[in-house]
């Protein structure tokens, strides 16, 4: 109270200084709401200011910040007033010291309030940052959830599409099945109606069918639009029906622009129908085709396989240029026709030619000249003799590796065989001998020689008969002949793996007849057939088969009864 009294006296003395009093009043205005009467009885200390300040703190962080700012401004002005007041009050001594103490307390309270405001700001900033991080995490989680949902939707969409496709396929298959006669089978792009008595084409609505099989039915006619609903048809089987030349129009097959395989076996056709250029494989076996005109194969530049077995073809029924369009043809079968000789004008690029079971009596000179790519020639089941094969008939066949002359009328193995031969079949002839050196010109050498079912005896296969093939021959078939003993030159083959001497008249197997007793190298011979002879198996010397490692491959049983 004393200090306050002194302060009031000073104020009275300085009443003339209006500016100073106004500034001092501003200082007291800054102080929290304090009753004037109570201030006359209580000293203005830090505890009162602190109590009122804590009350203000409850009003929120924003009010604290505003109060601190206002306090800073007022205190700045108070300090300026004090500087002026201090000069007036220097003579008052003690009163100035008390006022200094009061102002110090006010400064401390100001600093405390400012610090508290800063702490609140920092705390709020941390809370805001935490909230931002939480918001970011929530956004990331939401994005991940959205991506997962999108992926799931895509997968579900794909599954639905697959299911729809399967349903469509099943629906197409079901609809196709429903429209087909009983007994037809449907699978993927194939429709098969085999031997179910069809008299007309089935109604097929599935345009994705690529294979149609209709063999063994009673089809006699196919309308011009019969296959118009099958634009992608690649394989068509109409074999074993009752189709003739009038059963379909000229453009029936021409509209099938993707057709590659056509089977017309066992019908009643007398000529080759017009066909699309896309065709690669044509089978017209067992029909009544009696001619091949110049236009028969027009445009078939992609045809690789042609089968005309079991028809009524002969040399003069084939036009000179009939095969000319077939520039890609590799395989030609004309078995079981009426050829008496090799037909002229054969396709130049042919590799496999079949003429078995005809009436061929000779291989004419130079008729095969243009077939320089020929690798396989089948002339079995004909009427050929060794002297009916002219030496120069094979002169240009430098790639011919397989020649079948079985089931003919040959008495000896023919000479002047194609030089490149690797396999020669001469079974079921009347061969009684192999002339010396008849095989010696073959290069690189014969690998397989079939002489079964002939009239061969030991004197017919002398040492020089196999000259030229001792190093290369791997299979030798001499079964069903007239040998009374094992030919002694059998042991000279270096690469022989199979030897057949069964069904002969052999009564003994001498030690050196098959294997050499003294060997300088391992033998390749693995299988020997000697069954159905007249051999006393118990009397065969053990060394007779010393070159064969596996004794189970030595076939000795059964034997015929001993000749009486």
């Amino acid at each position: 109270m004393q200090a306050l009294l002194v302060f009031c006296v000073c104020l009275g003395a300085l009443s003339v200084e209006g500016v100073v009093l106004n500034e001092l009043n501003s200082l007291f205005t800054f102080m929290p709401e304090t009753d004037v009467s109570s201030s006359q009885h209580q000293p203005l200390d830090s505890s009162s200011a602190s109590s009122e300040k804590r009350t203000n703190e409850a009003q929120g962080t924003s009010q604290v910040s505003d109060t601190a700012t206002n306090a800073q401004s007022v205190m700045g002005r108070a300090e300026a007033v004090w500087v002026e007041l201090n000069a007036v009050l220097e003579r008052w001594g003690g009163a100035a010291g008390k006022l200094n103490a009061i102002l110090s307390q006010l400064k401390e309270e100001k600093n405390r309030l400012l610090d508290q405001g800063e702490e609140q700001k920092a705390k709020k900033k941390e809370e805001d940052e935490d909230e931002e991080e939480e918001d970011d995490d929530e956004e990331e989680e939401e994005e991940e959830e959205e991506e997962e949902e999108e992926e799931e939707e895509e997968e579900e969409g794909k599954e639905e599409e697959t299911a729809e496709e399967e349903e469509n396929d099943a629906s197409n298959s079901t609809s196709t099945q429903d429209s087909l006669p009983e007994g037809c089978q449907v699978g993927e792009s194939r429709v098969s109606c085999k031997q179910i008595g069809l008299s007309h084409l089935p109604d097929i609505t599935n345009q994705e069918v690529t294979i149609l099989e209709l063999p063994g039915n009673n089809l006699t006619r196919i309308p011009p639009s019969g296959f118009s609903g099958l634009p992608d048809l690649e394989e068509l089987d109409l074999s074993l029906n009752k189709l003739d030349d009038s059963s379909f129009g000229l453009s029936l097959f021409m509209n099938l622009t993707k057709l590659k395989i056509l089977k017309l076996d066992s019908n009643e056709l007398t000529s080759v129908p017009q066909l699309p250029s896309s065709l690669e494989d044509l089978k017209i076996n067992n029909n009544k085709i009696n001619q091949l005109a110049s236009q028969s194969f027009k445009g078939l530049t992609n045809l690789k396989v042609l089968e005309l077995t079991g028809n009524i073809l002969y040399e003069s029924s084939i036009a000179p240029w009939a095969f000319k369009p077939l520039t890609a043809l590799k395989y030609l079968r004309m078995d079981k026709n009426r050829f008496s000789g090799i037909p002229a004008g054969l396709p130049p690029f042919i590799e496999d030619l079949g003429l078995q079971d005809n009436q061929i009596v000779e291989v004419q000179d130079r008729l095969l000249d243009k077939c320089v790519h020929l690798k396989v020639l089948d002339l079995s089941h004909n009427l050929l003799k060794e002297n009916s094969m002219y030496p120069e008939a094979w002169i240009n066949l430098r790639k011919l590796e397989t020649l079948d002359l079985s089931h003919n009328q040959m008495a000896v193995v023919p000479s002047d065989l194609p030089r490149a031969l690797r396999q020669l079949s001469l079974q079921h002839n009347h061969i009684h001998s192999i002339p010396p050196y008849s095989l010696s010109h073959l290069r690189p050498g014969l690998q397989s020689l079939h002489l079964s079912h002939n009239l061969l005896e030991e004197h017919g296969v002398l040492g020089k008969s196999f000259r030229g093939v001792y190093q290369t021959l791997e299979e030798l078939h001499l079964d069903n002949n007239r040998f009374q003993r094992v030919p002694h030159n059998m042991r000279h083959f270096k690469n022989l793996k199979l030897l057949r001497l069964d069904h002969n008249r052999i009564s003994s197997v001498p030690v050196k007849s098959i294997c050499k007793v003294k060997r300088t190298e391992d033998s390749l011979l693995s299988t020997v057939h000697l069954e159905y002879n007249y051999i006393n198996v118990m009397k065969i010397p053990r060394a007779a088969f010393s070159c064969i490692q596996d004794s189970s491959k030595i076939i000795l049983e059964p034997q015929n009864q001993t000749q009486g």
Side-chain angles (χ1 to χ4, degrees), residues 119-135:
E119 290 177 0
Q120 292 290 339
K121 287 182 180 179
K123 185 176 181 181
K124 186 177 180 182
K125 184 177 181 181
E126 290 178 358
E127 291 176 354
D128 292 341
E129 290 177 353
D130 292 339
E131 289 178 359
E132 289 179 358
E133 290 179 358
E134 290 177 359
D135 292 339

Side-chain angles (χ1 to χ4, degrees), residues 339-509:
F339 294 108
S340 60
I342 304 293
L346 292 171
F349 295 98
I350 193 171
E351 296 180 0
D352 192 325
L353 174 61
L355 288 166
Q356 67 167 317
D357 206 359
N358 277 279
Q359 300 171 10
I360 298 175
V361 295
E362 62 178 357
V363 179
Q364 298 94 327
D365 189 14
R366 312 303 291 262
L367 278 179
L368 294 171
D369 268 6
K370 293 183 179 180
C371 301
V372 294
H373 300 281
L374 199 62
K375 295 180 180 179
V376 179
L377 177 58
D378 188 349
L379 292 171
S380 62
H381 294 270
N382 278 285
L383 303 174
L384 289 169
K385 297 180 179 180
E386 64 276 8
N387 57 2
S388 63
M389 302 175 68
Y390 294 95
E392 293 187 355
W394 323 103
I395 193 168
N396 285 330
L397 302 184
R398 297 176 182 177
K399 295 183 178 181
L400 190 66
E401 296 181 351
T402 302
L403 177 60
D404 192 344
L405 295 171
S406 60
H407 294 272
N408 277 283
Q409 298 179 3
M410 296 186 182
V412 299
V413 173
S415 302
D416 301 313
L417 291 167
R419 186 181 177 88
L421 272 188
R422 303 292 278 173
Q423 299 179 3
L424 175 61
S425 296
L426 288 164
Q427 65 267 28
H428 291 279
N429 275 278
H430 308 299
I431 297 174
H432 55 77
S433 67
I434 304 174
Y437 303 105
S438 60
L439 305 175
S440 61
H441 69 288
L442 302 182
R443 295 288 183 279
L446 206 61
Q447 292 180 333
S448 177
L449 177 58
H450 290 249
L451 287 165
S452 308
H453 295 275
N454 278 288
L455 306 174
L456 288 167
E457 300 182 26
E458 303 89 86
H459 59 79
V461 289
L462 301 175
K464 294 179 180 180
S465 297
F466 296 108
R467 185 68 61 86
V469 298
Y470 280 125
Q471 303 293 329
T472 61
L473 204 63
E474 296 179 1
E475 294 184 5
L476 177 57
H477 296 251
L478 295 171
D479 55 284
N480 291 281
N481 277 279
R482 297 182 178 181
F483 293 105
Q484 293 186 354
R485 62 181 182 180
V486 177
H488 69 278
N489 49 8
M490 297 296 101
R491 60 180 180 172
H492 296 303
F493 291 102
K494 303 297 183 182
N495 289 291
L496 196 64
K497 298 175 182 178
L498 171 64
L499 173 61
R500 293 199 60 169
L501 285 164
D502 53 286
H503 293 86
N504 276 281
R505 303 173 183 178
I506 299 171
S507 59
S508 64
V509 184

Side-chain angles (χ1 to χ4, degrees), residues 243-245 268-272 287-291 311:
L243 300 171
D244 58 24
D245 297 341
E268 297 179 6
L269 299 172
T270 61
S271 61
V272 179
N287 277 271
K288 297 178 180 179
I289 296 177
N290 54 25
Q291 64 173 347
N311 284 283

Side-chain angles (χ1 to χ4, degrees), residues 30-49:
F30 160 74
M31 295 178 64
E33 299 176 357
T34 305
D35 190 83
V36 177
S37 60
S38 61
S39 63
Q40 294 175 354
H41 301 285
Q42 295 178 5
L44 185 60
D45 54 14
S46 62
S47 62
S48 175

Side-chain angles (χ1 to χ4, degrees), residues 34-319:
T34 305
D35 190 83
V36 177
S37 60
S38 61
S39 63
Q40 294 175 354
H41 301 285
Q42 295 178 5
L44 185 60
D45 54 14
S46 62
S47 62
S48 175
S50 298
S51 174
E52 291 179 356
K53 190 60 182 177
R54 281 192 293 271
T55 303
N56 290 334
E57 287 177 0
Q59 295 179 1
T61 305
S62 62
Q63 293 178 356
V64 172
S65 178
D66 293 339
T67 303
T69 304
N70 291 333
Q72 185 178 5
S73 177
V74 172
M75 287 301 295
R77 292 197 302 272
E79 286 177 356
V81 172
W82 175 251
V83 172
E84 295 177 4
L85 183 59
N86 189 52
V88 177
L89 296 177
E90 284 181 356
R91 61 181 178 274
W92 293 94
K98 292 187 179 293
L99 288 175
N100 279 332
I102 293 170
L103 288 176
S104 296
Q105 290 176 355
L106 291 174
K107 285 182 179 180
E108 290 176 1
E109 185 64 19
K110 181 196 80 167
N111 292 333
R112 188 183 70 79
L113 292 174
L114 290 174
D115 292 340
Q116 196 172 34
E118 292 295 331
E119 290 177 0
Q120 292 290 339
K121 287 182 180 179
K123 185 176 181 181
K124 186 177 180 182
K125 184 177 181 181
E126 290 178 358
E127 291 176 354
D128 292 341
E129 290 177 353
D130 292 339
E131 289 178 359
E132 289 179 358
E133 290 179 358
E134 290 177 359
D135 292 339
D136 292 340
D137 293 339
E138 289 177 358
E139 289 178 359
E140 290 179 359
E141 290 177 358
E142 289 176 359
E143 290 177 358
E144 291 177 357
E145 290 177 358
E146 289 177 358
E147 290 178 358
E148 291 177 358
E149 289 176 359
E150 289 177 358
E151 290 177 357
E152 290 176 359
E153 289 176 358
E154 288 178 0
E155 291 178 358
E156 289 176 358
K158 290 180 181 178
E159 291 176 358
E160 289 176 359
E161 289 177 2
T162 304
E164 288 177 1
E165 289 177 359
E166 291 176 355
E167 288 177 2
N168 291 334
D169 292 341
S171 177
N172 290 335
S173 177
T174 303
S175 62
T176 302
Q177 184 71 48
D178 291 342
S179 64
L180 292 173
E182 184 179 356
C184 292
Q185 303 295 324
V186 179
E188 295 182 359
S189 59
R190 179 193 296 265
V191 174
S192 180
C193 302
K194 298 181 179 179
Q195 299 179 343
I196 59 173
L198 289 176
S199 59
H200 60 276
L201 285 181
D203 184 17
I204 302 174
T205 58
N206 184 3
Q207 295 187 353
E208 295 181 357
V209 172
T210 59
I211 301 175
L212 177 58
E213 298 174 334
L214 301 170
N217 286 287
N218 298 316
L219 297 176
T220 58
R221 183 178 180 277
I222 300 176
S225 60
F227 304 112
S228 59
L230 303 173
D232 295 328
L233 197 62
E234 296 180 1
E235 182 175 340
L236 176 60
D237 188 351
L238 292 170
S239 57
L240 292 164
N241 278 283
K242 298 179 180 179
L243 300 171
D244 58 24
D245 297 341
S246 63
S247 297
F248 35 75
L250 295 177
S251 62
L252 176 67
F253 298 116
M254 297 296 289
N255 293 328
L256 301 176
T257 57
K258 295 184 179 180
L259 191 65
K260 294 182 179 179
I261 301 174
L262 176 60
K263 299 177 182 178
L264 294 169
D265 297 341
S266 301
N267 280 282
E268 297 179 6
L269 299 172
T270 61
S271 61
V272 179
Q274 289 189 6
L275 301 168
S277 60
S278 59
L279 204 63
E280 296 179 1
D281 189 328
L282 174 62
K283 294 178 174 62
I284 319 183
N285 301 311
N286 302 309
N287 277 271
K288 297 178 180 179
I289 296 177
N290 54 25
Q291 64 173 347
L292 296 177
S294 299
Q295 303 295 319
S296 294
F297 304 113
K298 182 180 179 180
L300 299 184
T301 56
N302 292 308
L303 195 66
K304 299 176 182 177
V305 176
L306 175 59
E307 295 184 10
L308 290 163
T309 295
N311 284 283
I312 316 174
L313 292 169
Y314 51 96
E315 294 96 308
S316 58
S317 68
I318 300 178

